[in-house]
Amino acid sequence: MAGFTKKAIRNSFVKLLNEKPISQITVKDIVDDCGVNRNTFYYYFQDLPQLVETIVDEDAERIIREYPTLASVEDCLNAAISFALENRKAVLHIYNSINRDIYEQYQRKICEHTITVYVDSILSGRNVTKEDRSLIIDYLKCVCFGCVIEWLEKGMHSDIQSRFRRICELKQGDLERMIERCENI
């Protein structure tokens, strides 16, 4: 029952975030929407920022579980933006609030995980040092994270998936050349 109640609070909050900015949502709004009392809310969450943090942490863990392998950098981006695509208004409301840093940390964590999984799969059996592996991961993570943050900054209006697909097409072969250079050193 406890998991059900916590999930109901979470779902009500996301629903409300899809309707209005976080600054206009109160604990009373959430408990009224999901049918629990204020004490129940405070049993699970200290305040709204903790609820935001819980939501993004749980989604990050879900993505980590759901994506144990990835076939391309493009797949990494798609994993990183899956929650945002399903909850555009809610994400923009979080991103444009004082809780922006929580969402940015979430995106950084997802980009790092997905890129690391991808890079480890393509480096398997390759003679690349730990330092070069780390540099490749950092580079690709920054590309992925930068695209996501730019998309959020611009209000999520562009088709990020098409734009990133085009970036991948333009950079095709660059990663393999980087790896070859790492092996030849």
Side-chain angles (χ1 to χ4, degrees), residues 33-45:
D33 186 76
C34 68
V36 300
N37 64 43
R38 290 177 66 84
N39 289 339
T40 302
F41 176 91
Y42 289 113
Y43 175 78
Y44 293 105
F45 306 102

Side-chain angles (χ1 to χ4, degrees), residues 4 16 41 49 65 92 147 162 176 185:
F4 175 79
L16 292 168
F41 176 91
R65 277 190 318 275
L92 281 175
C147 286
S162 293
E176 184 57 35
I185 292 178

Side-chain angles (χ1 to χ4, degrees), residues 4 6 65 80 87 118 130 133 168:
F4 175 79
K6 187 175 180 181
R65 277 190 318 275
N87 298 283
Y118 170 65
K130 288 181 182 180
R133 173 192 170 273
C168 290

Side-chain angles (χ1 to χ4, degrees), residues 3-4 19-20 26-27 32 54 57 75 92 96 104 107 135 138-139 149 159 163-165 167 182:
F4 175 79
E19 296 170 2
K20 56 188 172 181
T26 65
V27 171
D32 286 350
T54 299
D57 284 348
D75 288 346
L92 281 175
N96 292 317
E104 286 178 349
Q107 280 300 333
L135 284 171
D138 286 347
Y139 167 72
I149 295 302
D159 181 356
R163 288 176 53 87
F164 201 74
R165 186 176 309 113
I167 290 169
C182 292

Side-chain angles (χ1 to χ4, degrees), residues 50-67:
Q50 185 189 31
L51 176 54
V52 170
E53 190 168 348
T54 299
I55 289 169
V56 297
D57 284 348
E58 287 174 354
D59 197 62
E61 293 305 316
R62 176 191 63 80
I63 289 171
I64 289 168
R65 277 190 318 275
E66 288 182 11
Y67 294 93

